[in-house]
Amino acid sequence: GGHCTKLEIKEKGNVVSVDMRCGDPKEMSIEMTGTYPFLDRRHYTATMKSTVILGGKKTTANKSVDSKWIGACKNEPGKKK
């Protein structure tokens, strides 16, 4: 039940799109599509739609993201000071 029957990642210009389908609807499955336009090296937006089926119960979600890089982490785990 944990394999993906579809995983497509495409890049066109400054946009990356993802389309995936994994699992078995009889047990647990997820379908997700997303579009990630990169506005510059440190800023991207995204829209994602997902459907999860778990134990016969179906849940859907639509998400939007606006991400910006604000700087390097000051206390990275495992990094010596």
Side-chain angles (χ1 to χ4, degrees):
H3 67 282
C4 292
T5 57
K6 182 177 189 177
L7 178 58
E8 292 180 0
I9 301 171
K10 296 179 181 177
E11 186 177 339
K12 185 174 182 180
N14 67 322
V15 179
V16 174
S17 60
V18 177
D19 189 2
M20 75 174 215
R21 193 171 306 131
C22 300
D24 180 350
K26 295 175 189 168
E27 297 174 20
M28 189 261 181
S29 68
I30 182 168
E31 292 184 25
M32 194 274 296
T33 58
T35 305
Y36 304 80
F38 286 80
L39 306 175
D40 61 44
R41 288 181 47 209
R42 297 181 175 194
H43 184 197
Y44 70 90
T45 59
T47 55
M48 297 162 280
K49 294 181 180 185
S50 65
T51 301
V52 175
I53 299 173
L54 180 60
K57 184 177 178 185
K58 182 177 179 177
T59 304
T60 59
N62 294 319
K63 303 286 182 188
S64 296
V65 174
D66 188 348
S67 298
K68 294 179 184 174
W69 187 79
I70 56 173
C73 295
K74 295 182 191 230
N75 296 318
E76 293 183 46
K79 188 174 182 180
K80 294 182 180 180
K81 295 181 180 184

